[in-house]
Amino acid sequence: MENEKLVKKTEQKSEEPPEPNFEEPPSTKLCLKEIPSSTQEVRHPIASIEALAKYLPLNEQVKIALKQVIKSYQMLITPYYLSLIKDVMDPHDPIRRQCVPSLEEIRENEHETMDPLAEEKTSVTPFLVHRYPDRALLLVTGRCFMYCRHCTRKRLWKAKNAEPSLREIDQALRYVKDKPQIREIIVSGGDPLTLHSERLDYILSAIRQIKSVEVMRIGTRTPVVNPQRIDAMLCRILEKYENLWINVQFNHPAEVTPQAAEACRKLQRCGIPLSNQAVLLKGVNDNPDVMKQLMQKLQAIRVRPYYLYQCDPVVGANHFRTSVYQGIEIIEKLRGHTSGMCIPTFVVDGTEGKGKIPLGPNYLISLAKDQVTLRNYKNEVIQYYNPQG
Ligand SMILES: *Cc1c(COP(=O)(O)O)cnc(C)c1O
């Protein structure tokens, strides 16, 4: 009886952790040192080639080669995401391509770097990148539930110190506090939703205490790779933050499953608007029809397409990169042909930390003082009276 009580008590405790003390300003926070940084381990994640070979037919030669690859770039796949592979015999499956290592990863290309956006060099404090005047990016963890093969922050997978301590978070937030022009914090990583809910709550509440920060934005792939993580306790935490937006990353229509849609719905019920940041990936979505399907499926679950990224020149992702022109062409084939709500902005993230540069089809043919020549999505040319400004 005593024992039973004890078990019940500890169970309850893990469900309802004690509320952190929100009254404490960030700089005196160390009371929360004991919060474990990571949580919600996926049951039986696939992290070895032998484990992978139980699901996918891999011959001995391929297994040996892939073991070599994952020494450079580790593998971690959720069983859920792996289950989305339609045909295990198809090495070109778009789901497989995003999660299963490829020999092509170790064929490096001279244009590739470990940190294509120069985030390390341009950090203003460890884990804080302040590139634009009014918003800053805070990397709260290097961990993900799944390591995407096209990841632009592979450097964090290996980093010994990929997890900011609460002291470093505090240091970053003190920087933000000193710069009142920063009105938005982008909380990313890694995947912030891999953090222990209580730690995430602590970080969000510390950000919320900074008066000049009007908006918080989380970047996560959790609804796509581990939708079960969007549970009631996480929702109870997230719904407290009324200025919170979430950006997800769906790259292929096959990822928009009933489970993923349910995870999105739970977040939306918390009042959180969801947007999508897709990456243009060769052999995954570099096709106007696939992209249109993806965008329409997202619109149907009320996830607004936001960006479509050119795949960054990060090491080991050469086999994913397409010509920039292909991205422009995909946008051209969306605009006018489907709902304007389904059209993301295609962006190239400039190397050396130069920031995102939008690219799109040109509809302006010529511009004169009193007349502009324009074309529409069907390539019909019109003359349009240009009012004097
Ligand atoms: C992408 C990014 C942002 C956010 O840019 P938006 O155009 O507002 O989405 C902010 N800071 C850094 C460093 C970024 O890379």
Side-chain angles (χ1 to χ4, degrees), residues 316-331:
N318 194 39
H319 55 299
F320 283 120
R321 273 186 294 277
T322 55
S323 151
V324 167
Y325 182 69
Q326 237 169 314
I328 297 174
E329 205 174 47
I330 284 176
I331 302 300

Side-chain angles (χ1 to χ4, degrees), residues 31-294:
C31 54
L32 284 168
K33 222 166 32 186
E34 76 282 6
I35 301 178
S37 65
S38 58
T39 182
Q40 282 86 12
E41 296 298 341
V42 173
R43 233 177 279 162
H44 311 301
I46 297 130
S48 73
I49 300 302
E50 291 304 332
L52 183 66
K54 290 192 193 127
Y55 300 91
L56 299 179
L58 303 172
N59 68 37
E60 280 312 309
Q61 218 181 342
V62 169
K63 280 206 284 195
I64 292 167
L66 291 186
K67 281 177 190 169
Q68 238 8 71
V69 175
I70 69 170
K71 275 187 197 157
S72 299
Y73 307 115
Q74 70 174 96
M75 175 181 77
L76 192 67
I77 311 173
T78 61
Y80 161 79
Y81 193 78
L82 198 71
S83 78
L84 304 184
I85 295 178
K86 226 192 256 159
D87 175 5
V88 292
M89 302 306 285
D90 177 10
H92 306 296
D93 180 280
I95 299 294
R96 177 172 180 158
R97 222 170 137 70
Q98 291 181 73
C99 63
V100 173
S102 152
L103 274 179
E104 293 181 274
E105 291 175 32
I106 47 179
R107 274 185 219 129
E108 293 182 10
N109 172 291
E110 57 170 320
H111 301 287
E112 297 178 336
T113 58
M114 232 16 228
D115 181 13
L117 310 178
E119 290 174 334
E120 299 276 316
K121 254 198 300 191
T122 58
S123 291
V124 287
T125 76
F127 304 99
L128 186 73
V129 186
H130 183 199
R131 176 160 300 152
Y132 298 103
D134 71 342
R135 53 214 191 276
L137 169 71
L138 179 65
L139 304 177
V140 295
T141 177
R143 279 183 81 251
C144 282
F145 288 117
M146 182 179 105
Y147 290 111
C148 303
R149 305 323 294 177
H150 56 275
C151 178
T152 207
R153 296 207 183 102
K154 286 192 183 116
R155 64 177 199 279
L156 295 184
W157 303 4
K158 297 199 211 198
K160 286 244 155 50
N161 198 358
E163 189 90 41
S165 62
L166 291 182
R167 185 181 296 281
E168 284 164 321
I169 300 263
D170 184 44
Q171 188 190 354
L173 295 187
R174 263 180 293 155
Y175 173 93
V176 173
K177 216 172 180 172
D178 284 344
K179 296 262 185 308
Q181 69 268 34
I182 299 177
R183 60 173 290 281
E184 177 170 359
I185 299 294
I186 294 130
V187 177
S188 188
D191 191 329
L193 299 190
T194 61
L195 289 183
H196 193 284
S197 301
E198 202 184 336
R199 189 179 179 97
L200 181 66
D201 193 16
Y202 171 76
I203 294 172
L204 295 179
S205 83
I207 296 172
R208 183 167 62 180
Q209 285 177 38
I210 304 170
K211 296 244 163 12
S212 43
V213 175
E214 296 167 12
V215 177
M216 299 192 282
R217 188 200 308 181
I218 289 177
T220 176
R221 239 195 145 187
T222 294
V224 185
V225 300
N226 186 21
Q228 296 79 359
R229 165 70 178 110
I230 313 299
D231 57 14
M233 166 158 169
L234 179 65
C235 288
R236 272 203 303 279
I237 286 170
L238 295 180
E239 74 184 354
K240 295 189 299 187
Y241 298 98
E242 290 177 2
N243 58 351
L244 177 65
W245 294 62
I246 290 185
N247 278 349
V248 293
Q249 186 196 135
F250 286 93
N251 291 328
H252 191 275
E255 294 169 347
V256 189
T257 62
Q259 294 96 313
E262 175 61 18
C264 291
R265 203 172 308 127
K266 283 181 185 163
L267 293 170
Q268 289 160 340
R269 270 196 223 112
C270 299
I272 305 168
L274 299 184
S275 309
N276 192 62
Q277 310 198 108
V279 185
L280 178 57
L281 299 169
K282 194 190 282 178
V284 174
N285 58 18
D286 59 336
N287 168 306
D289 292 329
V290 171
M291 195 64 82
K292 186 156 92 180
Q293 249 188 63
L294 171 64

